């Protein structure tokens, strides 16, 4: 006995729903990976953090798709968009962290960097005092040790300051991504509805 029910649209709908459901663990996994990368960052932010952030962004942009746009703040689309934009903001902040630490023009917060050079100078003096008995033996080695300790102190200070402001950059990226995605998906849904409304029904 033949089943005359339209299997094609049902299968397509179920496939689309399956893709939407399957995408959720991916977003959660990427978020956990980003948090782990931030938690394991020791000392100053290094460029490997940028590599991790860019890789996670490439994964989420390549393999995750938002569900079909629907109006309402409590809709499935709104919930997915919120999670999606927050994860993108988190990954972007990890990718930007080394740049924020090193480039003052990208991190122009007044007064945030002023104490770091003074801390480096203090660490240099402290190193000289700790190794004062070695000054007569190898002054070049002492100067090198002072430079290394001063540089590490300044880098750690800038890293700590950057970390305090990372949530601001992450939130800004998340808001921007949410606005762009919501606008594009809404326009796409409306265009699709308009095209469907202009298509004449098929004659049986």
């Amino acid at each position: 006995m033949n089943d005359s029910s339209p299997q094609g649209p049902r299968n397509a709908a179920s496939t689309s729903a399956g893709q939407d459901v399957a995408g959720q663990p991916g977003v959660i996994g990427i978020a956990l990976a980003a948090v782990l990368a931030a938690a394991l960052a020791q000392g100053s932010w290094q460029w490997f953090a940028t590599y991790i952030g860019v890789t996670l962004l490439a994964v989420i942009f390549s393999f995750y798709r938002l569900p079909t746009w629907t109006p309402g703040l409590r809709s499935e689309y709104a919930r997915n968009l919120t999670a999606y934009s927050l994860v993108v903001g988190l990954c972007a902040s990890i990718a930007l962290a080394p740049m924020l630490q090193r480039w003052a023009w990208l991190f122009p917060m007044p007064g945030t960097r002023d104490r770091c050079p003074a801390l480096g100078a203090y660490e240099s003096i402290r190193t000289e005092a700790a190794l004062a008995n070695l000054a007569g033996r190898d002054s070049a080695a002492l100067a090198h040790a002072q430079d290394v300790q001063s540089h590490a102190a300044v880098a750690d200070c800038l890293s700590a300051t950057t970390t305090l402001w990372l949530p601001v950059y992450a939130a800004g990226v998340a808001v921007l991504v949410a606005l762009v995605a919501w606008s594009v998906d809404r326009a796409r849904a409306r265009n699709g509805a308009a095209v469907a409304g202009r298509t004449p029904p098929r004659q049986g």
Side-chain angles (χ1 to χ4, degrees), residues 4-191:
S4 59
S5 61
Q7 294 293 332
R10 181 183 302 175
N11 291 337
S14 62
T15 302
S16 177
Q19 290 176 348
D20 292 342
V21 174
Q24 306 311 314
V27 173
I28 296 173
I30 292 173
L32 292 177
V35 171
L36 182 62
L40 293 179
Q42 299 293 330
S44 62
W45 286 96
Q46 302 300 326
W47 290 111
F48 189 59
T50 298
Y51 178 82
I52 294 174
V54 171
T55 301
L56 295 176
L57 288 174
V59 170
I60 193 172
F61 289 149
S62 299
F63 297 104
Y64 183 76
R65 296 293 180 270
L66 288 169
T68 304
W69 180 86
T70 52
L73 296 178
R74 297 184 178 180
S75 63
E76 179 186 359
Y77 176 82
R79 294 193 301 269
N80 279 265
L81 179 61
T82 301
Y84 175 81
S85 58
L86 288 175
V87 172
V88 171
L90 177 61
C91 297
S93 66
I94 292 176
L96 287 174
M99 306 174 197
L100 296 176
Q101 177 182 326
R102 291 163 173 80
W103 301 340
W105 64 268
L106 191 59
F107 185 51
M109 302 299 179
T112 55
R113 295 174 176 265
D114 296 343
R115 65 187 181 93
C116 293
L119 185 61
Y122 167 77
E123 189 64 27
S124 177
I125 295 173
R126 195 170 72 89
T127 302
E128 182 181 10
L131 302 178
N133 59 333
L134 300 179
R137 298 183 180 181
D138 194 338
S139 57
L142 176 60
H144 179 70
Q146 288 180 272
D147 290 339
V148 170
Q149 295 299 324
S150 176
H151 177 77
V154 172
D156 289 342
C157 176
L158 291 175
S159 174
T161 305
T162 300
T163 303
L164 291 176
W165 286 92
L166 277 182
V168 176
Y169 286 82
V173 172
V175 171
L176 180 62
V177 169
L179 290 176
V180 172
W182 185 81
S183 301
V184 170
D185 290 342
R186 183 182 66 166
R188 187 178 300 165
R190 289 184 173 180
N191 290 336

